[in-house]
Amino acid sequence: MLKRKEHVIETALNLFLKSGIQGTSIQMIIDKSGISKGTFYNYFQSKNDLLYGIIKLIHNKVIAKRKEIEDDPAITGMEQFTKQTMLFSKTNKKYNLFPLFEQIFLSDDPSLKKLFQQYFFHEIEWIQNQFVRMFGEEIKPYSLDGALIFNGIIHQFMRVKTISKKEEDQFYENVVRYAAERAEEFFSSMQQTHKAPLFTESLLRDWLDQKATTPMKDQRHFETAHNTLKTAILSANHDTQIEKGLLEGLEFIEHELKQQEPRTFVIESILLSFTAHASEWQETLHHYKKALEPFYVTSCSIDLDSNRK
């Protein structure tokens, strides 16, 4: 099952890179992967959930390989840090993630942007922890500043790399070492001058904890309800055209909720049309409506729920 799920993820990733996130439908992914709708929704709740799966899979691969390097007694200190850091870039390049990240960053979808932010914040946290390990606990108050400085140097130097003809692995290794040395100099200067850090540990904790805030919980709750209703519709004995219309209605609601000001009358019109066919999945529809509530101001949600006996 795991290999099949990874196959779906890799297929989706290729389609996202070829047609864009918005230009790739779930049906396209299903067709290209050679799986059924039921199988897809058994793996993922939505397209955003699939993107989360892509990021999580690749992040876990990086973590596992970094652990292998850490467990190798022959590799220590700066050499260990350099090899582990290069893994991040190499893995992103292998899966061609940089164009995908650019699409996510430019997206109007707040949940996608939050996904990108979490990936970035976890990498900053890892760099911060490695600096404390290499340079000592005394630099901890400045470790977040140092991690951001290090990451900024890497990012800008790799932009230069795109117009240079230097051998990539050696160039990147030199950049990592150079950036780490600049960070070490920064730590030494801050300790000598006793200046206050620009960013503190609590800020990083706030960044990382954003995924546990109420809006993100609401998002995950909605995606679960969305997927459950989709499964209920597919499992019901509806005419093919009715089923198609109901699924298109669900996709339209999902799209509408991504707008800055979701149109209440459009969403509620679709929900009312669902009610006419919901005899087999009335309870599921009720939970779906409740999951929708945090995302738009409803004028007649009580009336809609009054159909539920």
Side-chain angles (χ1 to χ4, degrees), residues 180-194:
E181 289 168 1
R182 302 292 77 75
E184 185 176 14
E185 291 171 358
F186 163 77
F187 294 138
S188 177
S189 173
M190 294 297 280
Q191 286 178 280
Q192 290 174 14
T193 59
H194 301 290

Side-chain angles (χ1 to χ4, degrees), residues 117-274:
Q117 291 167 357
Q118 289 298 314
Y119 189 68
F120 171 76
F121 294 152
H122 277 291
E123 183 63 12
I124 293 297
E125 181 186 38
W126 179 83
I127 295 169
Q128 177 192 24
N129 290 335
Q130 296 310 302
F131 281 163
V132 173
R133 179 182 61 80
M134 287 193 297
F135 303 131
E137 285 289 329
E138 60 272 17
I139 65 97
K140 193 168 185 178
Y142 312 107
S143 58
L144 179 53
D145 283 359
L148 291 168
I149 290 170
F150 173 85
N151 188 72
I153 293 174
I154 295 290
H155 182 70
Q156 294 304 321
F157 269 68
M158 293 313 292
R159 280 180 177 270
V160 174
K161 171 64 184 69
T162 61
I163 58 174
S164 73
K165 296 182 179 179
K166 292 182 177 293
E167 197 280 322
E168 185 152 343
D169 283 353
Q170 187 59 53
F171 177 78
Y172 189 72
E173 182 175 346
N174 291 340
V175 170
V176 171
R177 291 180 181 276
Y178 176 84
E181 289 168 1
R182 302 292 77 75
E184 185 176 14
E185 291 171 358
F186 163 77
F187 294 138
S188 177
S189 173
M190 294 297 280
Q191 286 178 280
Q192 290 174 14
T193 59
H194 301 290
K195 290 183 178 179
L198 185 60
F199 297 116
T200 62
E201 176 75 15
S202 61
L203 179 61
L204 181 62
R205 296 270 65 80
D206 290 342
W207 287 344
L208 291 170
D209 289 343
Q210 283 182 17
K211 63 183 178 181
T213 61
T214 301
M216 184 55 93
K217 285 183 177 178
D218 289 339
Q219 177 67 28
R220 299 298 291 174
H221 183 209
F222 166 73
E223 289 179 354
T224 299
H226 190 84
N227 179 60
T228 302
L229 182 56
K230 226 172 224 182
T231 302
I233 292 172
L234 290 169
S235 301
N237 297 316
H238 291 304
D239 176 86
T240 303
Q241 288 302 314
I242 292 176
E243 179 184 287
K244 181 181 178 182
L246 292 169
L247 293 176
E248 287 177 351
L250 272 180
E251 288 188 9
F252 196 90
I253 289 176
E254 188 176 31
H255 173 76
E256 191 65 28
L257 292 176
K258 293 176 183 177
Q259 308 310 308
Q260 188 171 0
E261 294 184 3
R263 294 171 292 178
T264 299
F265 74 93
V266 172
I267 295 173
E268 293 184 347
S269 175
I270 295 173
L271 291 175
L272 281 171
S273 70
F274 283 176

